[in-house]
């Protein structure tokens, strides 16, 4: 490296002045094969080869060795024979005398004067005193500078200027070349290469005869950690690991020598069922199981049930199809939410026929469109809630539980929505955004003790195809699939709302990243959650379904109240049904002055267990009285004498009352626990939360009580 040739000072004096700040070499290059590493290398090459040598601003989080990137550019450019000096911006004096010479001088003999055609690096320019920033900005833009003295003449710096920053700096946004260094957590795929490179470099310095191996198990575990201090923290982690086993110098570093801090991705207690029973994973991933269940059984059972509803007797006492729908399906799906979440959606007959029609359409040349861009929940959720409200009104006004053909019309109407959306859009757009039943399932799935998730580190570090999300051909033990039907990557799931447990991701994954795990109940409902747009409306509609069913207890005392919602003039019946349905929403709106919207939303989510309990208590009498009569009810129209001899079961009213009370207690306890989790720790909320839950629980139990 040649010495600079300053015009106004002795060369030796200049070298002594610059020596403490000289950055004499590059520490290392850019390690990694990810697209982020390749893009960073391209940016460095481009900046080094630029003949105009513009100023460069290198920004990024702490610990990313941004000063080393400046050195890579400098020593890769035509100025490589000149000096590169580095100054810490946080230590520069406000008058700039460190760079421009003493306040009493005219700038001669200053660092910039001595540097000549070399390169100046101002590290952490975001910490520079604001008084000095205009002078640095002028130096970068024009090369002009002057000493601290007011009478100092203007000098010109012919070298190149580099800046690094960890935060935005006003005025520097459009300055010269801009290089943004991605954090280590974004390029997890590079972690294994960084780790092995760091181990090789450090063991050479420590005098090890042979650098140890680093297993994939260690890499995958570390890929789940975010490394807040990036490469600096990774270097410290490697140094600690090697110090712990320096005496043994093993051929492979054990996993337990790598220590990381707690990750924000930690989710509490989890138990991986597939790790416990690997054969269960193989069985549940079997395409034969799902294809046989969906297309060989569910699709045709749905057809038979609808024929039964249309052609059989029209009352529930004589039609087994109505019995299946109202006395079996409703109680069972509600009982399933805390256990298996949204599992019903994985073999829902509505979408089975949607998929059948979608496949037929593709064979005929129809190509479904991609999903609309933007926040579809913002308009989809209100449509979904409105659709559910319309169904509840129709159910009550037309007495659907006792009218078979109308119950079939409801099923066919939902199926028609699934079919139309399947022809218009790819995958299951209807299920994710518009299906009323799917919306209810996704909401209550947050209470489930079961979850399907992928290991973030494995997915980001080992996978490059994203077949679980996009679909694709078979790879390794991964099967050929069309990708997640509801368009969600299992590693990006924040809750159970958009997971239907169809196991498509588990079938497609070649890395065994997907896990089926047990967890604490309602683990998705946390203070840090971000409720999707419009879901509050669905909670209020479902609560309105309870008040609508028992409208006479709440509104029957009014003078204009009809005797029944199932008979009489339509207009008053519709008015009172709508009023009963809107009671929870009206109560929610009346509390606007009590708290900010986010806190009110949290209160609603905290009441989900109680809402689930009231809905289950509503359908328990149907299930416990009529579900056991399925065989006699089904055969009565065909063979009354034989039906009379068939076994049947109905629960005693006292048993039903006890079960309703038990479910109510579970709901109250669950909501009380969630309210404690969600609310802030001030004594008024600690007092009001339990009172609110107890009051709503007592009122709900009174509503659903048997007459």
């Amino acid at each position: 490296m040649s010495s600079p040739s300053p015009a106004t000072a002795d060369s030796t004096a200049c070298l002594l002045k610059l020596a403490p700040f000289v950055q004499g070499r590059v520490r290392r290059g850019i390690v990694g094969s990810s697209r982020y590493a390749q893009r960073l290398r391209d940016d460095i090459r481009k900046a080094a080869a630029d003949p105009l040598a513009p100023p460069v601003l290198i920004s990024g989080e702490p610990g990313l060795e941004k000063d080393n990137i400046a050195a890579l550019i400098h020593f890769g450019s035509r100025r490589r024979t000149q000096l590169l000096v580095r100054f810490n911006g946080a230590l520069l004096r406000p008058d700039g005398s460190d760079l421009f010479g003493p306040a009493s001088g005219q700038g001669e003999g200053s660092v910039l004067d001595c540097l000549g055609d070399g390169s100046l690096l101002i590290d952490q320019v975001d910490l520079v005193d604001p008084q000095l920033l205009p002078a640095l900005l002028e130096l970068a833009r024009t090369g002009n500078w002057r000493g601290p003295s007011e009478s100092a003449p203007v000098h010109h710096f012919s070298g190149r200027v580099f800046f690094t920053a960890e935060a935005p700096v006003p005025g520097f946004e459009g300055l010269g070349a801009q290089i943004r260094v991605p954090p280590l957590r974004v390029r997890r795929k590079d972690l294994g290469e960084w780790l092995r490179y760091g181990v090789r470099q450090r063991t050479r310095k420590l005098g090890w005869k042979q650098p140890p191996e680093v297993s994939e198990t260690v890499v995958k575990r570390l890929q789940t950690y975010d490394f807040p201090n990036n490469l600096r923290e990774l270097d410290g982690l490697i140094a600690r690991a090697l110090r712990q086993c320096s005496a043994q110098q093993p051929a492979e570093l054990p996993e337990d020598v790598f220590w990381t801090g707690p990750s924000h991705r930690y989710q509490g207690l989890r138990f991986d069922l597939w790790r416990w029973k690997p054969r269960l994973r193989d069985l549940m991933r079997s395409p034969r199981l799902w294809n046989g269940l969906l297309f060989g059984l569910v699709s045709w059972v749905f057809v038979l049930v609808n024929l039964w509803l249309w052609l059989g007797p029209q009352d529930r006492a004589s039609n087994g199809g109505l019995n299946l729908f109202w006395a079996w399906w409703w109680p069972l799906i509600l009982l399933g939410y805390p256990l298996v979440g949204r599992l019903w959606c994985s073999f829902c007959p509505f979408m089975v026929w949607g998929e059948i029609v979608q496949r037929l359409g593709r064979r005929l040349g129809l190509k479904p469109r991609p999903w609309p861009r933007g926040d579809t929940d913002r308009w989809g959720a209100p449509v979904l809630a409105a659709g559910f409200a319309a169904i509840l009104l129709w159910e009550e006004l037309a007495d659907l539980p006792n009218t078979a053909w109308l119950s079939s019309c409801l099923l066919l109407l939902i199926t028609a929505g699934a079919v139309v959306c399947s022809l218009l859009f790819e995958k299951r757009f209807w299920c994710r955004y518009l299906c009323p039943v799917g919306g209810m399932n996704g909401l209550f799935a947050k209470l489930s003790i079961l979850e399907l998730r992928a290991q973030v580190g494995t997915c980001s570090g080992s996978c490059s195809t994203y077949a679980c999300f996009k679909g694709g051909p078979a790879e390794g033990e991964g099967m050929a699939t069309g990708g997640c039907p509801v368009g969600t990557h299992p590693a990006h799931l924040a809750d159970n709302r958009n997971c239907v447990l169809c196991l498509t991701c588990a079938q497609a994954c070649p890395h065994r990243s997907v896990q089926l795990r047990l967890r604490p109940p309602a683990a998705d409902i946390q203070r840090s959650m971000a409720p999707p747009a419009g879901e509050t409306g669905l909670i209020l509609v479902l609560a309105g379904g309870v008040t609508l069913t028992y409208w006479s207890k709440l509104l029957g005392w009014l003078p204009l109240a009809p005797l029944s919602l199932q008979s009489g003039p339509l207009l008053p019946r519709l008015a009172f049904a709508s009023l009963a349905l809107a009671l929870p929403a009206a109560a929610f709106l009346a509390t606007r002055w009590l708290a900010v919207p986010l806190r009110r939303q949290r209160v609603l989510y905290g009441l989900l267990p109680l809402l689930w309990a009231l809905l289950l208590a509503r359908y328990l009498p149907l299930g416990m009285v009529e579900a056991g009569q399925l065989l006699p009810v089904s055969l009565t129209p065909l063979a009354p004498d034989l039906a009379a001899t068939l076994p049947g079961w109905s629960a005693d009213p006292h048993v039903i009352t006890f079960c309703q009370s038990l479910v109510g207690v579970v709901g109250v306890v669950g909501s009380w626990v969630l309210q404690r989790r969600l609310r802030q720790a001030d004594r008024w909320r600690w007092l009001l939360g339990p009172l609110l839950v107890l009051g709503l629980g007592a009122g709900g139990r009174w509503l659903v009580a048997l007459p």
Side-chain angles (χ1 to χ4, degrees):
M1 183 181 298
S2 65
S3 301
S5 302
T8 60
D10 180 77
S11 297
T12 303
C14 279
L15 285 175
L16 290 174
K17 187 185 293 288
L18 297 177
F21 310 105
V22 170
Q23 187 158 336
R25 63 183 179 87
V26 173
R27 290 195 293 276
R28 55 188 163 197
I30 304 301
V31 179
S33 56
S34 70
R35 64 180 184 274
Y36 299 104
Q38 293 169 7
R39 186 184 306 156
L40 185 57
R41 280 193 286 267
D42 290 342
D43 290 343
I44 291 172
R45 280 194 291 266
K46 183 179 178 181
D50 193 333
L52 299 178
V56 181
L57 174 63
I58 306 166
S59 59
E61 295 180 1
L64 287 171
E65 297 187 342
K66 297 180 285 295
D67 59 333
N68 186 60
I69 292 176
L72 283 169
I73 298 172
H74 172 78
F75 291 110
S77 70
R78 292 180 297 179
R79 299 175 184 268
R80 65 176 64 90
T81 58
Q82 303 296 322
L83 291 177
L84 169 66
V85 296
R86 171 185 174 272
F87 284 84
N88 189 333
L91 302 179
L92 292 177
R93 296 186 180 94
D95 63 357
S97 56
D98 308 85
L99 301 174
F100 309 135
S104 58
Q106 299 296 308
E108 290 79 4
S110 66
V111 166
L112 294 180
D113 207 25
C114 290
L115 191 55
D117 293 332
S119 296
L120 171 68
L121 167 61
I122 305 297
D123 203 11
Q124 295 181 301
V125 69
D126 50 314
L127 300 181
V128 169
D129 191 285
Q131 181 181 335
L132 181 58
L133 284 178
L136 293 179
L137 196 57
E138 180 67 18
L139 174 68
R141 286 176 175 169
T142 66
N144 295 332
W145 61 276
R146 66 170 66 210
S149 172
E150 294 182 0
S151 60
V154 175
H155 297 256
H156 183 76
F157 177 55
S158 57
R160 193 171 192 180
V161 183
F162 296 93
F163 299 102
T164 71
E166 295 174 4
V169 185
F172 284 74
E173 297 87 355
L175 181 69
Q178 304 272 332
I179 297 179
R180 177 72 183 177
V181 187
L184 196 55
R185 68 175 180 277
V186 171
R187 39 182 172 146
R188 295 178 195 269
K189 183 180 179 181
D190 297 334
L191 183 61
E193 296 169 80
W194 273 108
L195 192 61
R196 294 183 178 102
Y197 173 83
V199 167
R200 288 196 303 270
Q201 294 296 101
R202 193 165 286 275
T203 50
R204 186 180 296 119
K205 294 178 182 178
L206 294 175
W208 289 35
K209 295 180 180 179
Q210 185 71 24
E213 296 292 328
V214 180
S215 68
E216 280 298 317
T217 303
V218 171
V219 174
K220 288 182 178 180
R221 183 174 73 83
L222 293 179
Q223 283 172 339
T224 64
Y225 180 64
D226 283 344
F227 287 96
N229 286 312
N230 295 290
L231 298 177
R232 186 187 305 146
E233 185 173 358
L234 179 62
D235 281 343
L237 179 141
I238 294 171
R240 287 194 301 271
L242 293 176
R243 280 199 303 269
Q244 289 183 66
C245 51
S246 58
Q248 301 83 13
Q249 295 192 9
E252 180 177 312
L253 291 176
E255 184 178 355
D256 56 4
V257 301
F258 290 95
W259 292 80
T260 58
S263 171
H264 77 274
R265 296 181 187 275
Y266 176 73
Q267 296 179 329
L269 296 175
R270 296 295 188 274
F271 181 77
D272 185 359
L273 292 173
W274 288 344
R275 186 174 181 179
W276 175 53
K277 295 290 184 182
R279 293 185 62 185
L280 179 64
R281 176 180 180 271
D282 297 334
L283 175 64
M284 296 179 70
R285 290 176 73 238
S286 171
R288 291 184 179 180
L289 171 66
W290 290 102
N291 289 336
L293 180 64
L294 293 178
F295 303 108
L297 179 63
V298 171
S299 58
W300 297 110
V301 167
F302 182 69
V303 172
L304 292 176
V305 168
N306 277 280
L307 290 174
W308 200 349
L309 293 174
W310 278 93
L311 303 177
Q314 293 300 295
D315 62 295
R316 198 167 68 243
S318 307
N319 191 305
L322 272 180
N323 185 288
L324 279 174
F325 186 17
W326 296 100
W328 280 90
W329 183 82
W330 268 107
L332 286 179
I333 196 173
L334 287 165
L335 282 169
Y337 289 144
L339 302 175
V340 293
R342 203 175 170 177
L343 180 64
W344 162 257
C345 292
S346 64
F347 50 86
C348 165
F350 310 139
M351 203 57 229
V352 169
W353 281 102
E355 287 194 10
I356 291 173
V357 172
Q358 191 177 71
R359 293 182 183 184
L360 290 175
R362 289 183 185 274
R363 291 184 180 182
L364 295 174
L366 296 177
K367 186 177 180 181
R369 290 174 289 182
W371 291 2
R373 294 181 178 272
D375 188 4
T376 308
D377 275 323
R378 193 161 296 279
W379 62 265
V383 172
L384 186 153
F388 210 110
I391 289 174
L392 291 173
L393 290 173
W394 185 21
E395 173 190 332
E396 197 66 30
L397 295 174
D399 196 16
L400 261 64
N402 289 297
T403 313
W405 74 275
L406 284 178
S407 293
S408 176
C409 286
L410 173 60
L411 298 178
L412 295 176
L413 184 63
I414 298 175
T415 306
V419 167
V420 171
C421 284
S422 297
L423 290 174
L424 293 176
F425 300 105
E426 60 186 9
K427 298 187 177 183
R428 294 189 178 185
F429 182 81
W430 171 262
C431 292
R432 174 156 181 174
Y433 293 113
L434 298 177
C435 178
V437 179
M440 176 181 68
N441 294 347
L443 179 65
F444 285 120
K446 298 179 182 184
L447 304 178
S448 174
I449 62 171
L450 195 68
E451 69 177 11
L452 192 75
R453 298 290 189 273
Q455 301 176 76
V456 176
T458 301
C459 294
S460 59
S462 303
C463 182
S464 59
T465 62
Y466 305 106
C468 61
F469 170 62
K470 298 179 180 178
E475 177 190 356
E477 69 171 47
M479 307 172 192
T481 69
C484 176
V486 290
T488 304
H489 194 295
H492 297 163
L493 286 169
D495 54 38
N496 279 350
R497 174 174 173 257
N498 290 325
C499 179
V500 299
L501 293 175
C502 64
L503 304 186
T504 302
C505 53
Q507 293 172 344
C509 180
H511 307 291
R512 297 204 169 201
S513 174
V514 181
Q515 299 176 333
L516 185 67
R517 306 186 298 203
L518 294 177
R519 64 179 192 176
D524 292 338
I525 303 176
Q526 304 287 342
R527 284 196 63 204
S528 58
M529 67 180 181
E535 198 172 55
T536 302
L538 179 60
I539 298 175
L540 296 172
V541 167
L542 289 170
V546 178
T547 56
L548 174 59
T549 301
Y550 302 99
W551 73 275
S552 58
K553 289 186 176 182
L554 298 170
L555 303 175
W557 55 273
L558 293 175
L560 299 178
L563 296 176
S564 169
L565 292 183
Q566 286 78 40
S567 60
L570 177 61
L571 191 58
R573 290 191 292 126
L574 178 60
F576 271 83
S578 301
L579 180 59
L581 182 65
L583 285 177
F588 181 72
L589 291 175
T591 62
R592 294 181 64 180
W593 60 276
L594 290 176
V596 296
L598 182 59
R599 289 179 183 171
R600 292 163 62 236
Q601 278 186 319
R602 287 175 182 165
V603 170
L604 282 185
Y605 279 96
L607 293 174
L608 270 185
L610 180 58
L611 177 58
W612 165 81
L614 293 178
L615 286 171
L616 180 57
R618 170 192 172 187
Y619 285 100
L620 270 180
L622 274 178
M624 298 182 72
V625 172
E626 300 182 18
Q629 302 295 325
L630 177 62
L631 289 177
V633 167
S634 301
L635 290 179
T636 294
L638 302 176
D641 296 334
L642 177 61
T645 64
L646 292 175
W649 175 84
S650 292
D652 185 85
H654 296 88
V655 175
I656 298 173
T657 300
F658 172 77
C659 290
Q660 285 182 313
S661 299
L662 181 61
V663 168
V665 169
V666 171
V668 167
V669 172
S671 288
W672 178 72
V673 171
L674 286 188
Q675 291 292 341
R676 287 193 60 187
R677 180 191 299 172
L678 295 173
R679 66 177 176 267
Q680 294 179 339
D682 78 57
R683 68 180 179 184
W684 290 110
R685 292 189 179 92
W686 278 79
L687 179 64
L688 291 175
L691 291 177
L692 174 67
V693 172
L694 288 174
L696 291 176
R701 182 64 189 90
W702 167 74
L703 272 182
V704 301
L706 294 177

